[in-house]
Amino acid sequence: MNLTIKSFLSIFTFIFVISCSNTMEDNDAAQTVYFNQFIPCKAGPDYSAETMENFVAEWNELVAVYDEMVWAGGYAPASGQQGGWWELQWSSKEAADVAWESWLSREDAQEWDQSSNNVLECDNTQVGDFDFHVGINAPDFDWTSFATASLACRFTEGSTQEDLMADMALFNEWVADNGTGDPYTYGVYLPQADTDPYDFYWLNWHQSFDSMETGDINWLENGADMQAVFDSHAVCDDPQLWNTAEFKNELSS
């Protein structure tokens, strides 16, 4: 399955303008890898906070049988985008493939999928597959509702995934030494499709847009050396922001 997400992820006038906390627990966290998927969605004519609450509740009932789906959340546009995203996290690609085969063959699931398009229409023929590398641990982070800033990035000539992993480790140390104290974490997504126009996507997760702004100021004041390291290995697109909410979480249960 292939997904072009040029309109999905990009951020800030600088490459990594980030709201950072002091809650890092493990500098090796960047090596923790999951299988995640993104599905493009757009709001229907009946979209509202109330209808979305019902939508998510009904969806959770339908996917309760898929134990290998460990997390799900949604990204609603906050900077003028035309559509949003539904993210799924799985224990493995194999588990995801089995679940999708089941979902597409279930009459109840397909009936619900069609009947709910007036609330949120998601195109499950355009599912993007990613290796998801966890950033830093953030035990105080409230995943119920949060703010996301995203970057779509390409490696500079000669740079590789190994450089990116090393930069993440250095950045984790930077956060530990220079963070603002606000809850913050991030993730890096490596597309599995060779046709993807970008090499990786960097998502910054902040508790609110206010704490994001505090982190931006902190980064401008203290992050020049770390920024130079990032600049040497990657070039990223202009920013996009998202209001984000958690829909399902088996990791905390």
Side-chain angles (χ1 to χ4, degrees):
M1 291 176 284
N2 179 28
L3 175 63
T4 299
I5 51 180
K6 181 175 182 180
S7 63
F8 164 32
L9 305 172
S10 30
I11 278 195
F12 293 87
T13 50
F14 299 88
I15 288 189
F16 294 98
V17 179
I18 303 169
S19 172
C20 302
S21 87
N22 295 317
T23 59
M24 187 193 69
E25 294 181 353
D26 184 0
N27 282 349
D28 293 329
Q31 305 308 316
T32 303
V33 184
Y34 296 92
F35 177 71
N36 285 39
Q37 297 181 308
F38 281 92
I39 309 167
C41 301
K42 60 182 180 180
D46 296 333
Y47 181 93
S48 68
E50 182 178 358
T51 57
M52 268 303 296
E53 183 177 354
N54 293 333
F55 178 97
V56 171
E58 292 171 355
W59 177 81
N60 268 285
E61 290 183 5
L62 289 167
V63 301
V65 296
Y66 304 126
D67 296 336
E68 301 302 311
M69 182 194 296
V70 296
W71 191 88
Y75 296 76
S79 53
Q81 306 93 314
Q82 295 303 306
W85 299 88
W86 193 289
E87 182 178 7
L88 304 175
Q89 182 170 312
W90 303 89
S91 60
S92 68
K93 185 181 187 306
E94 293 72 21
D97 290 344
V98 170
W100 273 110
E101 183 177 1
S102 167
W103 176 265
L104 293 173
S105 66
R106 287 174 54 186
E107 185 175 349
D108 60 343
Q110 296 312 299
E111 287 180 354
W112 173 85
D113 195 5
Q114 291 299 315
S115 65
S116 62
N117 282 340
N118 60 319
V119 176
L120 189 71
E121 184 175 359
C122 297
D123 187 355
N124 58 25
T125 68
Q126 297 291 318
V127 180
D129 296 350
F130 297 86
D131 293 324
F132 169 52
H133 293 252
V134 177
I136 55 179
N137 292 328
D140 298 329
F141 201 94
D142 180 5
W143 293 99
T144 305
S145 178
F146 53 103
T148 298
S150 56
L151 289 154
C153 304
R154 297 183 180 93
F155 290 123
T156 56
E157 184 175 359
S159 297
T160 66
Q161 182 178 332
E162 290 185 0
D163 294 314
L164 174 60
M165 296 297 107
D167 289 352
M168 291 174 69
L170 286 174
F171 177 65
N172 290 352
E173 295 177 2
W174 186 93
V175 172
D177 294 336
N178 299 278
T180 64
D182 292 321
Y184 160 80
T185 188
Y186 70 97
V188 171
Y189 295 78
L190 298 172
Q192 292 193 354
D194 294 336
T195 55
D196 196 288
Y198 294 95
D199 294 315
F200 68 93
Y201 301 88
W202 182 298
L203 271 66
N204 294 307
W205 295 306
H206 316 262
Q207 202 62 81
S208 68
F209 287 111
D210 287 340
S211 63
M212 183 187 297
E213 182 177 2
T214 299
D216 295 348
I217 295 171
N218 178 50
W219 181 254
L220 291 173
E221 293 177 347
N222 301 301
D225 291 343
M226 189 70 241
Q227 179 72 63
V229 174
F230 286 138
D231 289 347
S232 69
H233 294 142
V235 176
C236 301
D237 278 1
D238 292 336
Q240 291 189 3
L241 306 178
W242 309 87
N243 289 303
T244 319
E246 178 179 87
F247 296 156
K248 176 182 173 68
N249 189 347
E250 298 297 326
L251 296 173
S252 63
S253 60

